[in-house]
Amino acid sequence: MDQVRDLRLFIAAAHHGGFRGAARVTSVPASTVSEAVRRLEDQLGTRLMNRTTRSVALTVAGEELMNRIVPVLAGLDSALETVAGFGKGLRGTLRLNVPGAVTRTILPPIAADFLRAYPEVSLDITVDDGLVDILSRGADAGIRYGETLAQDAICVPIGPRSQRAATAASPDYLARHGTPGHPRDLLAHACLRTRFPGGAFTEWAFEKGGESLTINPSGPLSISTQAAEFAIATAISGRGIVATFEDWLRPAMDDGRLTPVLEDWWPSFEGPFLYYSSRRHMPPPLRAFVDFIKARPRDTRIS
């Protein structure tokens, strides 16, 4: 902790023009700041600041230390604030805007563990598959996949590192209509489609051996992405081929109600992200959730 204190005094001196400037903002004597910097220089075996009678300036080594240590200390402060929240009984409501895609297998175990760690924090979750401005919808943060994130959003990976899209049909359907051997064969099959709130259908994308293509099939059913379970149930009943997240189809494939279709063409994609608009003035429940997610081991499986 003494070294951390010395590092903080070094940063104060760099930010405020020298030892006297640091003394004004830290309320410690300028001589104490100077001694702290000297101790760091002795430990590191290199000069961090060039001193003259009129000014103090960072050396190249000092600049490098500044660039590396500032985010480290910021992370330390955040971690200490989070742990302090346990003792202070962190309270409040965290409002999240999330797509239906994360509400079935990804978010529930994370939410349960977070509520267990912070029993006096409430989660208010809105399920929304549209592209939204989280602030205009009254949310503190959102969860989305990478292709739909705003460029200026602050993003934290949440859930699995990678997922796969999958296609499947019932054994009865395949016995009656045949099994597709190539994605283009789907154009001759009954396909069960899901669509976003704006009306656009979800893509049926495939990739294999460097080849990638997108198919726009048709069929007897189209339904909102928020009711994807309806499409899965319809596929199980033998009415067509369904395409969605592999982990959503996996239970029915494992017990034989569905058979994988074109499995060697299933594409993988990056998992979802928690995103928010600013690190400044973060509500304490959001700060705690961000730190909780960062500390949580991520599932490396493709699912």
Side-chain angles (χ1 to χ4, degrees):
M1 294 306 293
D2 288 341
Q3 190 176 54
V4 171
R5 180 172 180 269
D6 287 350
L7 287 167
R8 292 187 188 281
L9 292 176
F10 162 69
I11 291 169
H15 280 164
H16 298 282
F19 305 141
R20 292 180 181 177
R24 285 193 298 270
V25 299
T26 61
S27 300
V28 300
S31 59
T32 300
V33 180
S34 177
E35 290 168 4
V37 174
R38 186 174 293 109
R39 275 195 299 272
L40 287 174
E41 290 176 332
D42 291 341
Q43 291 167 7
L44 298 172
T46 186
R47 182 176 289 274
L48 300 174
M49 289 182 164
N50 290 319
R51 294 93 155 161
T52 69
T53 55
R54 295 187 176 183
S55 67
V56 172
L58 289 173
T59 63
V60 173
E63 289 277 5
E64 181 69 13
L65 181 61
M66 274 283 296
N67 292 336
R68 290 178 176 272
I69 204 63
V70 167
V72 171
L73 290 179
L76 174 62
D77 290 339
S78 175
L80 292 174
E81 289 173 8
T82 300
V83 174
F86 284 100
K88 296 176 181 177
L90 180 67
R91 303 182 182 203
T93 299
L94 173 60
R95 295 172 176 83
L96 298 177
N97 186 294
V98 309
V102 303
T103 60
R104 185 165 175 173
T105 58
I106 295 175
L107 190 55
I110 294 173
D113 289 346
F114 178 72
L115 292 174
R116 189 177 299 111
Y118 296 93
E120 297 193 50
V121 172
S122 299
L123 286 178
D124 183 339
I125 298 174
T126 297
V127 180
D128 188 341
D129 283 338
L131 302 179
V132 299
D133 176 353
I134 54 174
L135 295 180
S136 69
R137 298 294 179 92
D140 301 308
I143 296 175
R144 288 295 184 275
Y145 284 85
E147 68 273 10
T148 63
L149 291 168
Q151 291 186 349
D152 59 349
I154 300 170
C155 304
V156 178
I158 184 171
R161 295 180 184 277
S162 181
Q163 295 180 266
R164 283 202 302 183
T167 43
S170 71
D172 173 65
Y173 175 88
L174 297 175
R176 287 184 287 113
H177 298 281
T179 300
H182 189 278
R184 293 190 186 91
D185 296 342
L186 294 170
L187 297 174
H189 280 266
C191 294
L192 312 174
R193 304 297 304 276
T194 55
R195 49 181 164 71
F196 294 108
F201 285 106
T202 55
E203 289 188 343
W204 284 34
F206 299 90
E207 61 184 24
K208 178 183 177 182
E211 180 184 0
S212 61
L213 70 162
T214 300
I215 302 297
N216 186 28
S218 59
L221 174 73
S222 64
I223 194 166
S224 167
T225 50
Q226 293 188 5
E229 290 187 10
F230 192 106
I232 296 172
T234 304
I236 291 172
S237 73
R239 304 313 306 162
I241 299 174
V242 66
T244 187
F245 294 91
E246 180 188 358
D247 57 327
W248 291 16
L249 298 177
R250 181 53 59 190
M253 291 190 295
D254 287 345
D255 65 19
R257 289 174 295 159
L258 289 176
T259 299
V261 172
L262 298 169
E263 187 170 3
D264 55 345
W265 283 89
W266 291 356
S268 60
F269 52 91
E270 194 171 23
F273 293 83
L274 175 76
Y275 76 103
Y276 50 100
S277 59
S278 176
R279 289 188 178 92
R280 298 184 61 190
H281 310 302
M282 289 174 66
L286 175 57
R287 169 67 70 185
F289 190 65
V290 169
D291 290 337
F292 178 83
I293 293 302
K294 289 181 177 179
R296 185 182 178 88
R298 295 189 68 198
D299 187 352
T300 59
R301 295 172 298 170
I302 297 177
S303 59

